[in-house]
Amino acid sequence: MTINKEDKILIIGAGGQIGVELLEYLNSLYGSSNVVAADLKPSDAFAQNPFEILDVLDKNALINVVKKHDIKQVYLLAALLSATAEKNPLYGWQLNMQGLFNILDLAKEKQIQKVYWPSSIAAFGTTTPRQNTPQYTVMEPTTVYGISKQAGERWCEYYHLKYGVDVRSLRYPGLISYKSAPGGGTTDYAVHIFHEALKHKKYECFLSEYTTLPMMYMPDAIKATAEIMHAPAEQIKIRGAYNVAAFSFNPKEIANEIQKHIPEFSISYNPDFRQEIANTWPQSINDAEARQHWHWQHQYQLPQMVTDMLKNLKK
Ligand code: NAD
Ligand code: SER
């Protein structure tokens, strides 16, 4: 990884599921005084870092923060996730798109040098091949979140091609973590299930038992994010967003894995509106391009992830 330790970094949405762990990792690379945390509200997770209350939709406030801290790189994590965006489609579209434009424009104007913005498996849709979904394929998302991710990918590539913006992106699968609560996605069940297994030994799942989705443990997601951001520019041949994959499972399979540690754990199923969202997403992802171009490799499989989640949540 090529790291310029002088760079000042801004994480917008630093208090979210990914933000708190990315912040911790970037602190270890750059030093906490060089990593500015921004969010709508403060959090204990930012205790060591410079912190700004910032709405990414407020462009003037954003410019002031960038100037004040002499920011060179922005990680834009503020967004409405799939389930929350379906409840408030127009605001989901506004936040997910205008937030991105505000950051891409700063990079176009050379006020910042590098941008990270995550896409998602939600950018695919019902007409996409669901097994081993390739990097390049039909993409017709039917959720407002997925539409914003697909459009965002196209705009990232556009800003790169037209204005030379150094923007990098990953299509994350569902992310599983224990340090911060998930923020309103369809894959959140795969986090809730651990908390309920430890507290109540049972869980009612909002997806049906055979709903297979691509997933990844947070340490791998942070590793992928850091690796794509620190790879030499010539290795980043895709400026929309890269497929990245680790493993896939359905609610029944993760419940079986948890039962190896907590034999009395039981799961029941009561699918809600999130089932329809999940039905439009791939079941497994082919990430050959990420593995070839910048040597991506995941570390965690389902059993290691489950063991590590339970060990840490018990603490
Ligand atoms: P999250 O909901 O946990 O966190 C988002 C953070 O952004 C929150 O702390 C929230 O307070 C903040 N925020 C919301 N509106 C804001 C605004 N107007 N200005 C500034 N901050 C604001 O989300 P996450 O799971 O950490 O996801 C981060 C990014 O990664 C999103 O773009 C999401 O689409 C993407 N992603 C996440 C997953 C996943 O499984 N978590 C999977 C695929 C893609
Ligand atoms: N995990 C995210 C969600 O469920 C996928 O982007 O919304």
Side-chain angles (χ1 to χ4, degrees), residues 10 16 88 105 119 143 158 160 171 179 201 251 267 277 301:
L10 176 63
N88 196 349
D105 281 337
S119 184
T143 61
Y158 185 91
H160 176 73
R171 290 175 185 148
K179 291 188 184 170
K201 315 276 183 244
I267 184 166
I277 299 177
Q301 295 293 355

Side-chain angles (χ1 to χ4, degrees), residues 72 74 100-117 152-153 155-169 229 233 236 238-240:
K72 296 283 184 288
V74 172
L100 176 60
F101 279 125
N102 286 351
I103 302 301
L104 289 176
D105 281 337
L106 283 181
K108 175 187 163 190
E109 293 154 10
K110 312 282 181 228
Q111 299 197 56
I112 54 174
Q113 292 171 356
K114 206 188 258 190
V115 175
Y116 179 75
W117 169 84
E153 288 188 14
W155 279 110
C156 286
E157 186 183 67
Y158 185 91
Y159 270 68
H160 176 73
L161 293 174
K162 296 282 173 185
Y163 311 121
V165 167
D166 189 355
V167 53
R168 302 170 183 213
S169 179
M229 279 298 274
I236 310 303
I238 294 171
R239 295 294 183 152

Side-chain angles (χ1 to χ4, degrees), residues 12-13 15-19 39-41 54-57 76-79 81 91 95 118-120 145 149 172-175 181-183 187:
I12 303 175
Q17 190 194 5
I18 300 173
D39 208 304
L40 296 174
K41 52 186 187 309
L54 176 68
D55 180 347
V56 70
L57 296 178
L76 172 57
L77 303 179
L81 275 79
Y91 180 67
L95 174 61
S119 184
S120 161
Y145 176 71
K149 290 300 184 189
Y172 291 132
L175 301 181
T187 57

Side-chain angles (χ1 to χ4, degrees), residues 31-276:
S32 53
S33 59
N34 288 326
V35 187
V36 179
D39 208 304
L40 296 174
K41 52 186 187 309
S43 154
D44 290 345
F46 317 144
Q48 297 172 19
N49 294 78
F51 168 63
E52 298 284 350
I53 291 191
L54 176 68
D55 180 347
V56 70
L57 296 178
D58 183 342
K59 190 154 187 200
N60 290 331
L62 176 64
I63 291 170
N64 288 340
V65 167
V66 164
K67 283 193 178 141
K68 176 179 164 188
H69 295 279
D70 193 20
I71 297 297
K72 296 283 184 288
Q73 303 180 27
V74 172
Y75 289 75
L76 172 57
L77 303 179
L80 284 199
L81 275 79
S82 58
T84 319
E86 284 311 296
K87 290 182 185 159
N88 196 349
L90 289 183
Y91 180 67
W93 176 254
Q94 191 197 358
L95 174 61
N96 294 4
M97 295 311 302
Q98 193 55 50
L100 176 60
F101 279 125
N102 286 351
I103 302 301
L104 289 176
D105 281 337
L106 283 181
K108 175 187 163 190
E109 293 154 10
K110 312 282 181 228
Q111 299 197 56
I112 54 174
Q113 292 171 356
K114 206 188 258 190
V115 175
Y116 179 75
W117 169 84
S119 184
S120 161
I121 53 162
F124 298 111
T126 47
T127 50
T128 303
R130 295 189 78 195
Q131 307 294 338
N132 204 25
T133 303
Q135 175 71 41
Y136 301 106
T137 185
V138 179
M139 296 174 79
E140 295 184 312
T142 49
T143 61
V144 67
Y145 176 71
I147 296 169
S148 74
K149 290 300 184 189
Q150 203 219 6
E153 288 188 14
R154 305 279 30 93
W155 279 110
C156 286
E157 186 183 67
Y158 185 91
Y159 270 68
H160 176 73
L161 293 174
K162 296 282 173 185
Y163 311 121
V165 167
D166 189 355
V167 53
R168 302 170 183 213
S169 179
L170 302 171
R171 290 175 185 148
Y172 291 132
L175 301 181
I176 300 159
S177 66
Y178 59 88
K179 291 188 184 170
S180 178
T186 301
T187 57
D188 293 7
Y189 90 85
V191 178
H192 298 156
I193 193 171
F194 287 98
H195 293 269
E196 295 303 306
L198 286 168
K199 259 192 248 156
H200 304 300
K201 315 276 183 244
K202 60 179 184 182
Y203 177 62
E204 185 181 271
C205 186
F206 57 75
L207 298 183
S208 65
E209 60 187 316
Y210 296 116
T211 308
T212 299
L213 290 170
M215 300 279 187
M216 183 180 284
Y217 197 30
M218 190 62 85
D220 275 334
I222 300 299
K223 177 169 144 3
T225 307
E227 285 177 1
I228 193 173
M229 279 298 274
H230 296 100
E234 61 274 15
Q235 287 182 5
I236 310 303
K237 301 179 205 297
I238 294 171
R239 295 294 183 152
Y242 275 92
N243 279 6
V244 279
F247 45 79
S248 294
F249 58 78
N250 60 40
K252 191 174 168 61
E253 286 164 338
I254 190 174
N256 288 345
E257 202 58 46
I258 291 173
Q259 279 159 351
K260 291 181 187 167
H261 301 260
I262 308 173
E264 60 279 36
F265 173 65
S266 68
I267 184 166
S268 56
Y269 305 95
N270 187 11
D272 66 13
F273 73 102
R274 289 167 280 194
Q275 182 68 47
E276 282 176 34

